[in-house]
Amino acid sequence: MKREDYISWDQYFMGIAIFSAQRSKDPSTQVGACIVSEDNKILSVGYNGMPQNCNDDVFPWERSGSALETKYMFVCHAELNAILNYRGARLDGSRLYVTLFPCNECAKAIIQSGIKEVIYGDNKYDGTDSVEASKKMLAAAGVKCRRYEHLGRKIEFSL
């Protein structure tokens, strides 16, 4: 097999984040995350969903209404789930592949956990206060952020 027949590490790990997102029951935004060590070992994965033991068929998935009628008060984001799913001590020096740019709350967890690089897919909320705060904190903490650049083969999943 020639070298160009292989997918890159970025393609591989973003593919896992994309695949993980498929576990989310969020009808409007499915997000996945994959945390990787400096030597390209998968440490943890996560997707956006309700907290453990909170039935996601009972809690709301709506985007509008009163605070307690929407998903925003309840959903645990993919990045936070991946961090909480990790069973080691810290994630120092690791990379986070995530399908959507992290919000300000997830940025705090990313910084506190020791993650040093965020590779993100979409940034559909760019310009919002949450994303601007996130960018500001990540930059201040020295966490490198870059958009995932699809180079080479297209990754497709078929089940």
Side-chain angles (χ1 to χ4, degrees):
M1 222 176 200
K2 296 179 280 190
R3 184 70 189 150
E4 58 269 11
D5 291 334
Y6 295 98
I7 61 173
S8 70
W9 286 119
D10 275 359
Q11 288 173 310
Y12 178 62
F13 297 128
M14 187 57 79
I16 290 169
I18 292 166
F19 194 64
S20 296
Q22 302 305 302
R23 284 285 309 146
S24 174
K25 290 188 178 180
D26 191 324
S28 60
T29 307
Q30 293 180 306
V31 180
C34 178
I35 302 174
V36 180
S37 69
E38 293 173 283
D39 59 345
N40 295 318
K41 304 289 186 271
I42 297 171
L43 301 174
S44 186
V45 295
Y47 56 89
N48 58 320
M50 296 299 166
Q52 195 170 276
N53 299 322
C54 293
N55 186 333
D56 51 21
D57 292 325
V58 174
F59 283 85
W61 287 105
E62 286 76 28
R63 295 179 65 175
S64 60
S66 71
L68 294 176
E69 295 172 336
T70 67
K71 64 183 179 177
Y72 301 110
M73 299 295 280
F74 304 104
V75 170
C76 187
H77 288 180
E79 306 92 307
L80 185 58
N81 265 330
I83 291 167
L84 295 173
N85 287 338
Y86 180 61
R87 294 295 178 226
R90 287 186 47 90
L91 295 164
D92 291 329
S94 61
R95 299 186 313 278
L96 170 70
Y97 289 82
V98 62
T99 58
L100 184 64
F101 192 89
C103 73
N104 61 302
E105 292 299 320
C106 288
K108 295 173 195 176
I110 289 165
I111 293 164
Q112 290 296 95
S113 69
I115 293 170
K116 288 299 174 198
E117 184 175 13
V118 174
I119 301 93
Y120 63 93
D122 194 13
N123 193 359
K124 71 179 184 177
Y125 300 111
D126 197 20
T128 63
D129 289 344
S130 175
V131 169
E132 292 308 307
S134 179
K135 287 179 182 179
K136 193 177 243 186
M137 285 188 286
L138 292 167
V143 177
K144 180 181 173 187
C145 294
R146 65 180 166 92
R147 186 163 194 149
Y148 169 71
E149 295 295 330
H150 179 322
L151 303 170
R153 302 191 322 209
K154 182 175 178 158
I155 301 170
E156 293 183 20
F157 295 103
S158 177
L159 303 176

